Amino acid sequence: MKKTISDIKISGRRVLLRVDFNVPIRDGVISDDTRLKAAIPTIDYAVSNGARVILCSHLGRPLKEEKKAKERGLPFDRERFSLRPVASHLEKLLSRNVDFLDSCRGPEVFRFVSEMSDGDVCLLENLRFEAGEESNDTSFSEELAQLCDVYVNDAFGAAHRAHASTAGIAEFATRRVSGLLMERELKFLGRLLDSPEKPYVAILGGAKVSDKIPIINSLIEKGVDRILVGGAMAYTFLKANGYTVGKSLVEDDMLEQALEIQRSASEHGVELVLPTDHQVVDSYDPLNSRKTIPIDFTNAGLVGLDIGIETVALFKEKLVGAKTILWNGPMGMFEEKPFDAGTIEVAKAVAEATALGAVSIVGGGDSVAAVNETGLQGSISHISTGGGAALEFLSGKKLPGVDALEDK
Ligand code: ADP
Ligand code: MG
């Protein structure tokens, strides 16, 4: 267990709060403020406990983009990567003043934070304007640590990267704890690794088996009872088992690996469930040929884009009685209607199982987007903000940004 912000004294302290404010910004306007809202509880907590709150985050990849622009002889718009619009948006969300500093290091920043009063909030400029951030540079890490008495990391989504503000800083900051959002992520995801209540059912989908091998292996080792496989990833398994999958998305170089996973699953007594029907279109007439057919009826010209109703019913049945559910990867090409149907139905089934007592966790960028579209977020126990970090964590990898924090 990691220490959290509520375990230590923060009143009157300068708290450097590493957040994930990597939000989409268009013409200075934030088009999706989910990540800002997710950080509010920790900021509010720090403010109401009398801390001096120094927020810091990355936004995009300014140095890489600048280099690319230079190589192509194109102009580079640095302002696009400034966190300034975030400060004003945050002021509205917090209903309080947020000072924006147009740098994240140097004597002026140091002077500003030394003169802050209890309950003040400021936001530093994008950490990634400094090369030292991504290179995990020692002197930049030390400088960041000097800005604060307490370092708090609430950026779970960035915890899989060993950068100065997530990892390097640990060597110099005297106190290093998690924020409330990070704490919640570690609690829910940690339980899956340590002591998942059984029956434990995983639902895996998305595009590629290759992306998900570490997590599948970890699930099998951690005693998952069943793995329901949907999405394009199912076709690699189906093809490996001799089915015709037509023009569906398959990773031909992963067929042997897919069989290996099946073998390992059966050795560990894990039931691996594949789709029995799917929604397909004719690759030559995709707009007018949609139909749902059994997997065995697939011919060479068809493309599978979603699981079918029979598979939905099968997956629902396999979720009955589950006490722990992990879902990663959409069941079909959910961005294109009506191929979101399987994903929506599975979301409903997960919500129902949750109402009946299961702890349900959804992780992965696209999966979270899909669940948010269904409006069922409130009926799922935990929706991870972690994206790639959540997948690495669940694969059993140590995350540098988590390792950097003090143990309880
Ligand atoms: P996550 O981000 O949640 O980990 P992935 O990135 O692994 O999920 O997978 C999401 C992608 O998989 C989506 O873009 C979706 O369109 C695609 N996908 C799922 N099923 C299919 C399918 N049958 N054919 C093509 N693409 C699919
Ligand atoms: Mg994805």
Side-chain angles (χ1 to χ4, degrees), residues 327-340:
W327 181 9
N328 167 254
M331 296 292 99
M333 200 189 248
F334 75 102
E335 301 92 333
E336 293 287 335
K337 279 181 199 0
F339 306 109
D340 56 349

Side-chain angles (χ1 to χ4, degrees), residues 133-153:
E133 167 64 356
E134 287 188 79
S135 67
N136 199 12
D137 175 67
T138 309
S139 60
F140 184 47
S141 301
E142 186 172 12
E143 237 186 274
L144 284 174
Q146 281 164 353
L147 295 178
C148 69
D149 308 302
V150 175
Y151 164 72
V152 179
N153 191 351

Side-chain angles (χ1 to χ4, degrees), residues 3-6 10 15-21 35-55 90 94 96 120-121 150-156 177-185:
K3 280 211 174 113
T4 80
I5 189 166
S6 51
I10 55 168
V15 168
L16 182 72
L17 179 52
R18 173 55 158 106
V19 284
D20 182 359
F21 283 173
R35 287 184 172 152
L36 304 188
K37 286 185 175 146
I40 299 293
T42 308
I43 302 173
D44 273 340
Y45 177 88
V47 167
S48 55
N49 283 279
R52 306 165 179 199
V53 185
I54 307 148
L55 299 165
L90 201 58
L94 288 168
R96 67 170 57 245
D120 281 355
V121 181
V150 175
Y151 164 72
V152 179
N153 191 351
D154 215 16
F156 182 67
V177 297
S178 71
L180 303 176
L181 177 64
M182 172 83 92
E183 178 186 20
R184 189 178 155 80
E185 293 279 4

Side-chain angles (χ1 to χ4, degrees), residues 83-321:
L83 280 169
R84 187 184 295 277
V86 170
S88 29
H89 194 97
L90 201 58
E91 285 192 324
K92 287 183 215 135
L93 293 178
L94 288 168
S95 313
R96 67 170 57 245
N97 180 58
V98 176
D99 287 306
F100 180 71
L101 309 191
D102 54 17
S103 176
C104 59
R105 78 189 297 184
E108 278 177 33
V109 173
F110 187 79
R111 181 154 11 93
F112 186 93
V113 305
S114 343
E115 286 166 6
M116 284 171 81
S117 305
D118 297 356
D120 281 355
V121 181
C122 72
L123 171 64
L124 306 184
E125 181 57 289
N126 187 357
L127 294 163
R128 286 202 189 153
F129 279 134
E130 289 297 325
E133 167 64 356
E134 287 188 79
S135 67
N136 199 12
D137 175 67
T138 309
S139 60
F140 184 47
S141 301
E142 186 172 12
E143 237 186 274
L144 284 174
Q146 281 164 353
L147 295 178
C148 69
D149 308 302
V150 175
Y151 164 72
V152 179
N153 191 351
D154 215 16
F156 182 67
H160 56 319
R161 307 204 170 100
H163 291 172
S165 69
T166 58
I169 189 168
E171 202 184 314
F172 305 101
T174 38
R175 299 310 311 260
R176 310 168 310 275
V177 297
S178 71
L180 303 176
L181 177 64
M182 172 83 92
E183 178 186 20
R184 189 178 155 80
E185 293 279 4
L186 295 178
K187 182 181 129 205
F188 275 99
L189 301 182
R191 201 184 318 173
L192 292 187
L193 290 181
D194 300 338
S195 54
E197 205 184 331
K198 294 167 110 303
Y200 177 12
V201 183
I203 310 167
L204 296 180
K208 294 186 186 161
V209 179
S210 50
D211 284 350
K212 309 288 165 82
I213 285 178
I215 195 165
I216 298 175
N217 287 336
S218 163
L219 282 167
I220 293 174
E221 273 160 34
K222 297 288 172 191
V224 76
D225 294 291
R226 286 185 192 127
I227 304 179
L228 318 180
V229 182
M233 143 180 217
Y235 296 112
T236 303
F237 284 96
L238 290 166
K239 185 166 180 181
N241 286 282
Y243 289 91
T244 301
V245 297
K247 298 212 159 40
S248 311
L249 194 59
V250 167
E251 281 172 286
D252 279 309
D253 52 349
M254 294 303 294
L255 299 176
E256 194 41 53
Q257 280 269 15
L259 291 176
E260 182 53 44
I261 289 169
Q262 275 181 316
R263 271 195 292 273
S264 159
S266 87
E267 271 166 28
H268 287 80
V270 177
E271 188 187 0
L272 198 96
V273 185
L274 296 174
T276 56
D277 68 340
H278 57 167
Q279 275 202 64
V280 295
V281 297
D282 192 316
S283 55
Y284 298 103
D285 185 17
L287 292 179
N288 301 306
S289 56
R290 183 170 63 85
K291 56 186 174 184
T292 298
I293 57 166
I295 294 288
D296 341 349
F297 286 20
T298 313
N299 67 42
L302 298 177
V303 197
L305 294 174
D306 193 13
I307 55 172
I309 44 171
E310 191 181 280
T311 304
V312 167
L314 174 67
F315 285 7
K316 276 191 178 162
E317 196 185 298
K318 298 287 179 189
L319 284 167
V320 171

